[in-house]
Amino acid sequence: MFHAAFRNGANRREIIERDLLSGIVPRTSGRLCRKSIRRFRPAPGNKNNDSPRLFQAKPSEKRLRTHTIRPIPPIFAGRNTAAMAQRKIIHIDMDAFFASVEQRDNPAYRGRPIAVGYDGPRGVVATASYEARPYGVRSALPSVVARRLCPALIFVPARFEVYKEVSQQIRAIFHRYTELVEPLSLDEAFLDVSHHRSATLVAREIKAAIRAETGLTASAGISVNKMLAKIASDYRKPDGLFTIAPAQVEAFVAELPVERFFGIGEVTAERMHRLGIRTGADLRLWSEEALVHHFGKAGHAYYGYARGIDEREVTPNRIRKSLGAETTFAEDTDDRERLALELAGVRDEVWSRLQRHEFAGKTVVLKLKFDDFRQITRSRTLHSAVTTADELRTVSEELLAATDLGGHRVRLIGLTVGNSPEACTECVQLRFDFDFGGPKT
């Protein structure tokens, strides 16, 4: 039976035997068991052939499997789980960073709902204070909507130079404990403190130092990988500290709503809900092949996340290649004015992110997805990096105006800035002065 499924490889047979004992492969009858095993085969491109995947089952088999496997098997699957359990990763996330800096520097703002951003018809909230959040005001929300939700909201212009200075103070604190610091933006970073005896103690000390030296609060998440640490940092905000120990990972992930997983936004979560996937336990019942079928390449990551697996290393001096934002419409549209308005909101969010991440790029890319799910991009590469919001507005509006919709409605619009000069320090933009020998005037 095993030989029919895997013609070469005792290690793969051992994996199936282990999964049979753990309950991953249903053990209801010999016939069903054989069918399930035949649906295992090595992942394409996997030279080691040490990670079988379960292909999409027929509807009848899937229903039976779904009811048979619950509850989640008591194992923590993955090739590198032993090494991962030895890692100690901290994610530090400043609490409402921009707004907190403004409240720190201006006592009149303390205890009042404020939003950092532009208060205009096309403005977007960059950060909202915690006093504003009970009203539904959050980052990336159009300013007009934010004002309607919270009439007493105070809009404060962004002071990015000040935020950068404070961010440098905070990063200096991180480097007292480890050189493995990966900044994600001005207000958050991953730290690998595996060489310390207690990551939780390190996180407490960092939080205390940030409060003492900057007057601001931060939330910290601690776990065995980046995904779990990031989730943990958001668990008890503001001024929170939460640890997911290795022994707690399986149970924690099983109960976690899919919306809380890294990289799963509202649209993807809604698609998962329609498929009956609402928690990590539900997600774990799906094969890697099935997840890739429904969610593309991201399905590989979701398969690992459902098992608490994230093998990404903390990478200091990581060079970002691009940065963007997009929005999916509630209803498809071909109205040019509506598209221009939606693009303005996305563009403001992109500009805010460019400032937050200290990123600049020479190429602006417009992305459109149509009602038939066909996707196109239109781009323009400039001689130098985009340095002003007006420049980004001009280029993006020209790209949209020049795009033929082909009679289709648009369901998604996105904007990305890429081609950073930092990504290729040896690359030089060649410019030629053509002189054909004619008279000069």
Side-chain angles (χ1 to χ4, degrees):
M1 178 173 64
F2 289 113
H3 184 71
F6 299 123
R7 300 182 187 282
N8 55 355
N11 61 328
R12 282 168 280 160
R13 182 164 59 248
E14 292 171 359
I15 291 172
I16 295 298
E17 289 172 342
R18 180 200 65 193
D19 290 349
L20 278 168
L21 292 173
S22 303
I24 288 181
V25 178
R27 187 190 290 275
T28 56
S29 70
R31 184 177 180 182
L32 177 59
C33 184
R34 284 191 293 273
K35 284 184 178 181
S36 300
I37 291 171
R38 289 194 189 102
R39 286 187 281 116
F40 275 92
R41 74 170 185 239
N46 186 349
K47 296 180 180 180
N48 297 326
N49 292 329
D50 58 355
S51 180
R53 65 168 61 165
L54 183 60
F55 286 105
Q56 178 73 38
K58 296 178 181 178
S60 59
E61 293 179 357
K62 184 176 175 182
R63 284 196 302 271
L64 183 54
R65 185 183 71 208
T66 300
H67 291 290
T68 304
I69 299 178
R70 293 181 184 273
I72 298 305
I75 67 166
F76 186 37
R79 295 192 303 275
N80 296 325
T81 53
M84 188 175 66
Q86 303 302 315
R87 296 167 62 195
K88 300 172 185 176
I89 309 299
I90 300 174
H91 179 254
I92 298 289
D93 191 8
M94 300 301 297
D95 299 322
F97 182 50
F98 298 169
S100 295
V101 171
E102 298 301 335
Q103 289 178 320
R104 179 197 68 176
D105 295 349
N106 189 336
Y109 294 152
R110 296 173 190 172
R112 302 180 67 183
I114 74 167
V116 175
Y118 171 64
D119 182 14
R122 294 188 174 185
V124 173
V125 174
T127 305
S129 68
Y130 282 97
E131 293 84 357
R133 298 189 183 189
Y135 296 92
V137 180
R138 52 178 173 75
S139 61
L141 190 72
S143 299
V144 174
V145 177
R147 174 71 72 187
R148 186 166 62 245
L149 292 173
C150 182
L153 188 65
I154 302 171
F155 277 89
V156 181
R159 299 184 298 155
F160 283 105
E161 291 304 317
V162 175
Y163 308 149
K164 289 177 183 177
E165 291 178 7
V166 179
S167 179
Q168 291 301 320
Q169 285 183 267
I170 296 167
R171 291 181 189 178
I173 295 172
F174 296 159
H175 282 283
R176 297 174 194 170
Y177 295 87
T178 178
E179 290 303 312
L180 295 177
V181 177
E182 180 181 333
L184 301 180
S185 63
L186 292 177
D187 59 349
E188 62 176 320
F190 286 114
L191 292 74
D192 188 329
V193 294
S194 300
H195 59 290
H196 285 270
R197 182 173 182 179
S198 172
T200 302
L201 179 59
V202 170
R204 289 187 188 279
E205 292 180 0
I206 289 175
K207 279 168 50 65
I210 290 174
R211 182 189 285 270
E213 297 177 32
T214 70
L216 304 172
T217 63
S219 293
I222 306 98
S223 195
V224 296
N225 60 43
K226 293 166 77 171
M227 176 199 72
L228 292 170
K230 186 172 177 64
I231 292 172
S233 68
D234 193 48
Y235 223 65
R236 290 179 178 167
K237 271 185 165 289
D239 197 20
L241 187 146
F242 188 72
T243 300
I244 306 173
Q248 301 170 329
V249 169
E250 182 186 338
F252 180 86
V253 171
E255 297 178 0
L256 197 68
V258 291
E259 295 87 342
R260 302 293 294 272
F261 281 93
F262 177 76
I264 297 181
E266 292 181 6
V267 175
T268 302
E270 180 58 33
R271 289 177 61 193
M272 289 186 171
H273 292 170
R274 290 196 295 267
L275 294 169
I277 305 173
R278 296 187 174 275
T279 66
D282 298 327
L283 187 60
R284 187 166 177 171
L285 293 175
W286 285 67
S287 69
E288 186 175 5
E289 181 74 11
L291 290 174
V292 171
H293 172 74
H294 284 281
F295 303 102
K297 291 187 293 185
H300 294 294
Y302 300 158
Y303 181 82
Y305 292 168
R307 290 153 178 78
I309 298 172
D310 179 8
E311 299 176 350
R312 294 174 299 158
E313 300 289 337
V314 172
T315 308
N317 304 317
R318 178 173 61 93
I319 297 177
R320 184 182 297 274
K321 296 182 180 180
S322 64
L323 196 154
E326 61 186 35
T327 184
T328 300
F329 309 147
E331 295 182 0
D332 302 342
T333 182
D334 57 2
D335 186 325
R336 286 282 181 171
E337 292 186 3
R338 166 80 187 283
L339 291 174
L341 184 62
E342 295 289 353
L343 176 60
V346 170
R347 182 175 58 246
D348 287 344
E349 173 63 15
V350 170
W351 181 249
S352 176
R353 292 182 181 181
L354 291 173
Q355 298 298 300
R356 182 189 297 267
H357 293 270
E358 301 178 90
F359 181 84
K362 297 186 293 183
T363 300
V364 179
V365 181
L366 173 71
K367 172 183 173 182
L368 296 176
K369 183 177 288 186
F370 296 111
D371 49 9
D372 60 357
F373 289 89
R374 184 171 57 90
Q375 178 177 301
I376 65 170
T377 58
R378 298 291 184 265
S379 65
R380 180 178 300 174
T381 298
L382 310 175
H383 289 303
S384 58
V386 176
T387 56
T388 67
D390 285 340
E391 188 176 15
L392 181 62
R393 176 185 57 79
T394 300
V395 175
S396 62
E397 288 180 349
E398 290 176 353
L399 287 172
L400 178 60
T403 301
D404 182 6
L405 303 183
H408 290 280
R409 292 176 176 269
V410 178
R411 70 186 311 269
L412 175 149
I413 191 167
L415 193 68
T416 300
V417 176
N419 191 14
S420 169
E422 294 183 4
C424 183
T425 56
E426 298 179 358
C427 297
V428 178
Q429 174 70 45
L430 298 179
R431 302 184 67 175
F432 299 94
D433 294 323
F434 293 98
D435 185 355
F436 295 99
K440 297 181 180 180
T441 58

